[in-house]
């Protein structure tokens, strides 16, 4: 008889954990509240337009390759990846434009036009990012820590300083670039993690290294193609998905979880349980753990986003695949997002036009536009009029596209608009405070100091996802699935042995 596992949530972390456990002999069931898998990495299809809801950047392909290889599959058999280069077109409100590219010659020409010393600084910055990436992946992000002494060991302490984990990213960038616009161009990527570059550790220069050296990719069919491929592999390994089945309660004994109750009243039992819903939500709403829920509520959270999904009946070829518009006082904008929990006075934003690479993302001669505007998360302390903030964000996008790209008629050509804002992130995806990226990643919320991937009291309750170790972002959550699976197999190996013994002793 196989050991059994019950996974709560079919986000990418839940799917990957379920597949890894099934590959290693578990009978796995996944309960998902939505009608389809993917969580925040889901999709919208309407009138021939296809939108990815959340992530749009396929980064760190080697992590994806390892995931598929561990399941007996080849990534290339499932996804058609196209490299996006230039990775972005970055627009500044003073008229400066940069194309971030892996073409070193083009980078040199662009950077030296801004500042004669900038290209030398760029080479140093990418070299440092490479070092941070390799150390982080090998020594911190890609492993479990079982106690504080492992994390702050004599071997690790020097590495923490080498990673500049106690220095701020924006400040450190000043060692390489003098021009404030270039500092912004090489730190805005912190927003992938929902972080301010003024608070993020300097370690995160690794983000720019991964983009320019490892590449920014796009799977044909959209990011959701990755979810579909992983789900297909999981089902091939025997994982059973139960959709439209939100979990309402986790029943516990003294030292272990006994069962979960779904919204339809059905009870599910298992040997081990994995929570892939947002971690603070699990502690606050599903587990009887008020003390831990209060501790999590007091931690720092990432920002949220206002999203516009526009089906457009006209093409705008001047809009690249990835476009970033930086506006206003860079420092003030982050203060307004993270301290005031609001929309900056002059918002920055990102526009994704997938049909530049994948014509099937929109009807012929039309456009599928995805717009992300960073904004503060839900706050009881600060008054938030979301209708007004959404309207101001939309007006900003129209104005900048007209000013920067000469697009004067976009409003008239939008067939439909779908809007997400923090309340929707919270209501649809159970994200605490509507924080679109989960818990934040400052020094005190990473590594062993981040919420652990196993419950301290209930020894068969594990977690995988953005708010547990090692953190947020699709490839990092895939690492979370690997680490959680490895921990389960290490700690729960006796279950499999007991099942075999029971089967042997049971009369035929």
């Amino acid at each position: 008889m196989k050991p059994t596992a019950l996974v709560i949530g079919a986000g990418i972390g839940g799917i990957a954990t379920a597949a890894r456990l099934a590959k290693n002999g578990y009978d796995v069931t996944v309960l998902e509240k939505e009608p389809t898998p993917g969580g925040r990495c889901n999709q919208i299809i309407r009138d021939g337009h296809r939108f990815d809801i959340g992530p749009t950047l396929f980064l760190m392909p080697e992590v994806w390759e390892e995931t598929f290889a561990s399941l007996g599959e080849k990534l290339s058999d499932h996804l058609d990846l196209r490299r996006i280069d230039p990775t972005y077109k970055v627009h500044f409100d003073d008229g400066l434009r940069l194309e971030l590219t892996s073409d070193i010659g083009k980078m040199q020409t662009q950077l030296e036009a801004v500042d004669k010393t900038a290209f030398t600084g760029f080479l140093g910055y990418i070299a440092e990012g490479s070092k941070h990436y390799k150390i982080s992946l090998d020594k911190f992000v890609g492993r479990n820590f079982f106690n504080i002494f492992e994390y702050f060991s004599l071997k690790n302490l020097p590495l923490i300083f080498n990673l500049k984990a106690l220095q701020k990213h924006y400040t450190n960038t000043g060692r390489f670039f003098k021009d404030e616009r270039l500092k912004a161009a090489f730190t805005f990527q912190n927003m992938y993690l929902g972080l301010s570059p003024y608070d993020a550790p300097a370690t995160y220069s690794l983000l720019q290294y991964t983009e320019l050296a490892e590449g920014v990719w796009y799977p044909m069919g959209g990011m959701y193609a990755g979810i579909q491929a992983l789900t297909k592999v999981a089902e091939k390994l025997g994982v059973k998905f139960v959709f439209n089945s939100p979990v309402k309660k986790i029943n516990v004994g003294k030292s272990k979880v006994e069962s979960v109750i779904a919204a339809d009243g059905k009870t599910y039992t298992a040997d081990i349980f994995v929570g892939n819903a947002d971690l603070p939500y699990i502690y606050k709403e599903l587990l009887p753990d008020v003390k831990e829920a209060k501790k999590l509520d007091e931690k720092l959270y990432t920002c949220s986003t206002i999203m516009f999904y526009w089906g457009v009946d006209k093409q705008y070829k001047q809009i690249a695949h990835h476009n970033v518009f930086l506006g206003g006082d860079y420092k003030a904008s982050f203060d307004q997002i993270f301290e005031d929990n609001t929309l900056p006075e002059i918002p920055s934003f990102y526009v994704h036009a997938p049909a530049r690479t994948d014509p099937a993302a929109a009807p012929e001669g039309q456009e599928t536009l995805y717009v992300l505007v960073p904004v503060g998360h839900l706050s009881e302390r600060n008054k938030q009029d979301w209708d007004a903030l959404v309207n101001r964000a939309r007006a900003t996008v129209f104005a900048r596209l007209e000013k920067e790209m000469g697009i004067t008629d976009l409003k008239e050509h939008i067939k439909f608009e779908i809007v997400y804002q923090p309340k929707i992130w919270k209501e649809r995806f159970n994200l605490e405070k509507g924080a679109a990226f989960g818990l934040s990643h400052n020094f005190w919320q990473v590594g062993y100091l981040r919420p652990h991937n196993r419950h301290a009291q209930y020894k068969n309750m594990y977690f995988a996802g953005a708010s547990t170790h090692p953190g947020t972002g699709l490839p990092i959550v895939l690492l979370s699935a690997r680490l959680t699976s490895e921990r389960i197999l290490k700690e729960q190996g006796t279950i499999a042995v007991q099942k075999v013994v029971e089967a042997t002793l049971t009369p035929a």
Side-chain angles (χ1 to χ4, degrees):
M1 189 183 297
K2 289 183 176 182
T4 55
L6 190 286
V7 179
I8 303 169
I12 192 168
I15 302 166
T17 304
R20 285 177 179 271
L21 291 176
K23 179 70 173 174
N24 283 278
Y26 275 78
D27 185 344
V28 187
T29 299
V30 181
L31 302 182
E32 168 55 45
K33 71 186 285 287
E34 292 280 310
T36 53
R40 280 164 278 186
C41 191
N42 214 302
Q43 68 175 354
I44 297 168
I45 296 178
R46 180 169 167 181
D47 297 344
H49 297 269
R50 188 191 66 229
F51 306 86
D52 285 310
I53 289 178
T56 59
L57 299 167
F58 192 102
L59 301 171
M60 300 168 65
E62 72 277 14
V63 174
W64 288 81
E65 286 168 353
E66 186 281 330
T67 297
F68 277 80
S70 73
L71 304 174
E73 303 282 337
K74 283 181 66 177
L75 179 66
S76 58
D77 289 340
H78 295 271
L79 292 180
D80 177 7
L81 296 178
R82 307 291 174 89
R83 186 162 184 168
I84 307 300
D85 194 64
T87 54
Y88 311 91
K89 290 188 177 179
V90 184
H91 300 254
F92 298 85
D93 60 1
D94 65 356
L96 176 67
R97 297 181 188 182
L98 289 176
E99 292 189 357
L100 300 188
T101 171
S102 57
D103 186 321
I104 295 297
K106 286 184 180 178
M107 284 300 295
Q108 181 174 9
T109 301
Q110 293 181 88
L111 293 173
E112 288 182 348
V114 177
D115 176 358
K116 289 296 183 187
T117 66
F119 182 65
T120 302
F122 167 76
L123 294 177
Y125 185 69
I126 295 300
E128 181 177 274
S130 171
K131 181 178 75 172
H132 288 174
Y133 177 75
K134 291 179 170 68
I135 294 174
S136 294
L137 211 58
D138 186 36
K139 302 296 184 183
F140 291 96
V141 176
R143 60 159 293 186
N144 280 308
F145 293 97
F146 297 99
N147 59 64
I148 195 74
F149 303 106
E150 280 187 351
Y151 188 59
F152 290 115
S153 67
L154 290 176
K155 282 185 178 179
N156 272 7
L157 275 174
L159 296 178
I160 290 173
F161 287 103
N162 286 341
L163 289 171
K164 299 187 175 180
L166 297 172
Q167 297 182 40
K168 303 304 183 190
H169 191 186
Y170 189 85
T171 303
N172 183 62
T173 307
R175 295 179 56 246
F176 303 97
F177 303 104
K178 297 174 186 174
D179 190 282
E180 295 298 318
R181 295 167 299 178
L182 295 183
K183 293 179 189 178
F186 291 101
T187 56
F188 76 79
Q189 294 88 347
N190 287 176
M191 292 300 289
Y192 302 165
L193 306 177
L195 300 176
S196 164
Y198 294 92
D199 296 324
T203 311
Y204 290 123
S205 60
L206 62 85
L207 290 169
Q208 292 72 45
Y209 167 77
T210 62
E211 288 182 350
L212 295 177
E214 307 280 334
V216 172
W217 301 80
Y218 180 81
M220 298 301 281
M223 294 297 290
Y224 197 65
I227 296 295
Q228 292 171 316
L230 200 53
T231 303
K232 182 180 176 183
V233 170
E235 289 177 329
K236 180 179 172 183
L237 291 168
V239 175
K240 295 178 286 294
F241 289 88
V242 184
F243 297 109
N244 298 304
S245 187
V247 170
K248 289 302 178 185
K249 186 180 179 185
I250 297 174
N251 294 320
V252 300
K254 187 175 180 181
S255 62
K256 62 184 248 182
V257 171
E258 305 285 356
S259 63
V260 304
I261 301 176
D264 62 2
K266 186 173 181 180
T267 298
Y268 292 83
T269 60
D271 296 310
I272 62 127
F273 296 81
V274 180
N276 179 233
D278 193 38
L279 189 74
Y281 174 81
I282 294 175
Y283 276 99
K284 185 177 181 180
E285 303 294 341
L286 303 183
L287 278 170
D289 200 332
V290 177
K291 183 180 176 183
E292 188 63 26
K294 188 172 186 299
K295 281 168 60 179
L296 287 171
D297 187 62
E298 292 169 352
K299 289 186 179 292
L300 290 176
Y301 283 74
T302 56
C303 69
S304 191
T305 62
I306 292 171
M307 310 291 299
F308 299 107
Y309 306 99
W310 289 331
V312 183
D313 65 9
K314 178 182 177 180
Q315 276 193 333
Y316 295 95
K317 293 191 176 180
Q318 60 268 55
I319 303 178
H321 190 107
H322 298 300
N323 312 263
V324 175
F325 294 81
L326 299 177
D329 184 326
Y330 196 59
K331 174 72 163 63
S333 69
F334 284 106
D335 289 345
Q336 288 159 5
I337 291 170
F338 290 94
E339 293 179 17
D340 302 334
N341 300 122
T342 191
L343 180 70
E345 187 177 338
I346 304 176
S348 298
F349 60 94
Y350 159 78
V351 180
H352 173 53
R356 286 297 81 74
T357 303
D358 186 357
E364 187 176 356
Q366 300 188 31
E367 201 76 84
T368 292
L369 295 180
Y370 159 122
V371 180
L372 182 156
V373 188
V375 69
H377 61 59
L378 297 174
S379 170
E380 296 176 358
R381 178 172 55 89
N382 298 304
K383 185 180 178 182
Q384 297 167 311
D385 181 342
W386 288 109
D387 288 341
L389 294 176
V390 166
N391 289 336
R392 186 157 67 83
R394 185 190 297 108
T396 297
V397 175
F398 287 148
R400 284 293 296 274
L401 291 178
E402 180 173 346
K403 175 187 172 186
E404 307 279 342
M405 294 184 170
I407 298 174
T408 59
D409 60 351
L410 178 58
K411 271 188 263 189
E412 290 75 42
H413 289 281
I414 293 176
K415 299 190 295 181
F416 65 86
E417 173 186 82
I418 298 169
V419 177
Y420 275 34
Q421 41 93 331
K423 287 182 178 178
I424 295 176
W425 288 120
K426 182 175 183 179
E427 290 163 7
R428 179 171 179 186
F429 298 107
N430 294 328
L431 297 172
E432 187 64 21
K433 303 180 192 293
F437 308 87
L439 286 175
S440 189
H441 296 76
N442 66 1
F443 177 76
W444 303 106
Q445 292 182 191
V446 295
Y448 186 76
L449 305 178
R450 196 167 183 79
H452 301 167
N453 56 11
R454 195 201 70 192
H455 196 283
Q457 180 178 347
Y458 311 120
K459 307 297 187 185
N460 66 338
M461 180 80 226
Y462 294 84
F463 307 101
S467 289
T468 187
H469 175 67
T472 194
L474 288 187
I476 305 303
V477 173
L478 286 176
L479 288 174
S480 169
R482 174 171 70 78
L483 296 178
T484 299
S485 303
E486 288 174 354
R487 185 166 188 174
I488 290 169
L489 296 171
K490 176 182 178 181
E491 295 178 347
Q492 304 292 339
T494 52
I495 291 176
V497 175
Q498 289 168 356
K499 293 273 185 178
V500 170
V501 171
E502 288 171 7
T504 304
L505 296 178
T506 303

